[in-house]
Amino acid sequence: MGLGVVPATGFLKGSGIEITDRGFVTVNKKMQTNKPDVYAVGDLTEFPLFLVNNESVNIQHWQMAHQQGRIAGLNIAGKPTEIHSVPFFWSVVCGKSIRYAGYGSGYDDVVLKGSLEELKFVAYYTKGEHVVAVATLNSDPVAAQAADYFLSGRKLTKEEIKKDPLAWTAKVSTSTHL
């Protein structure tokens, strides 16, 4: 676990590259900085995330850094491409599968379906009436399906999951890439 981690971007001071108050390098959807032909990817960037109307966010996970690197590489190679990815995290701890998809910053409620006692559940993080992220414990492939659902631009509502928490999964095409 890393607490209080800040990006090591002090060496960029005076370079003219735009840095946020928190020390992150600001990039656009092509992973370009404000300087021509200068790209940045990974933990030290803030980038526009389509899930939150292109709000500039920082996500420190290798899945997102991998996507950012791919996008930067394509743009450097002259193949204009914008990032369009859903944050997706996973781990296995003590034999238990944990998954998370979406961007839950600012969530105001969690709707839990399943059993905490049995360590098998889906947690829907909501903001207002919309699901903004899904976390699962031993409930694969629900989080991956949520990532594909979000990637397609669909919205999932709190009302839908309260009525039938998994009905939306029938609408998911698993052929997309995160």
Side-chain angles (χ1 to χ4, degrees):
M1 178 188 297
L3 297 176
V5 177
V6 295
T9 55
F11 72 97
L12 294 172
K13 190 172 185 162
S15 70
I17 292 176
E18 186 177 318
I19 306 288
T20 69
D21 292 340
R22 296 179 5 184
F24 296 104
V25 175
T26 303
V27 295
N28 63 20
K29 289 182 180 184
K30 295 180 179 181
M31 307 314 298
Q32 298 168 312
T33 68
N34 61 311
K35 292 290 190 179
D37 300 322
V38 177
Y39 295 78
V41 302
D43 294 357
L44 62 78
T45 64
E46 280 196 5
F47 68 99
L49 182 64
F50 87 96
L51 284 177
V52 288
N53 298 315
N54 296 312
E55 177 185 325
S56 193
V57 301
N58 170 260
I59 298 173
Q60 298 181 15
H61 188 268
W62 73 266
Q63 174 266 344
M64 192 56 69
H66 179 264
Q67 287 298 319
Q68 291 173 345
R70 182 179 158 279
I71 297 303
L74 287 168
N75 283 295
I76 291 167
K79 298 178 180 177
T81 308
E82 294 184 347
I83 193 159
H84 187 81
S85 187
V86 174
F88 186 82
F89 314 101
W90 66 95
S91 189
V92 176
V93 178
C94 299
K96 307 297 181 205
S97 173
I98 302 164
R99 310 269 189 246
Y100 178 92
Y103 188 71
S105 181
Y107 73 91
D108 55 28
D109 193 15
V110 178
V111 178
L112 193 65
K113 298 297 180 180
S115 171
L116 293 175
E117 295 77 23
E118 294 176 22
L119 299 177
K120 184 176 173 114
F121 62 83
V122 178
Y124 294 94
Y125 291 78
T126 63
K127 191 173 187 179
E129 289 304 311
H130 290 97
V131 175
V132 294
V134 174
T136 65
L137 182 63
N138 292 322
S139 296
D140 299 338
V142 176
Q145 291 170 315
D148 282 336
Y149 196 83
F150 295 150
L151 188 64
S152 74
R154 293 185 183 133
K155 301 287 185 190
L156 185 58
T157 67
K158 188 185 284 192
E159 182 180 321
E160 287 176 90
I161 60 168
K162 284 184 173 182
K163 184 176 179 181
D164 184 344
L166 296 175
W168 62 272
T169 62
K171 302 175 192 172
V172 176
S173 165
T174 55
S175 64
T176 57
H177 293 50
L178 302 176

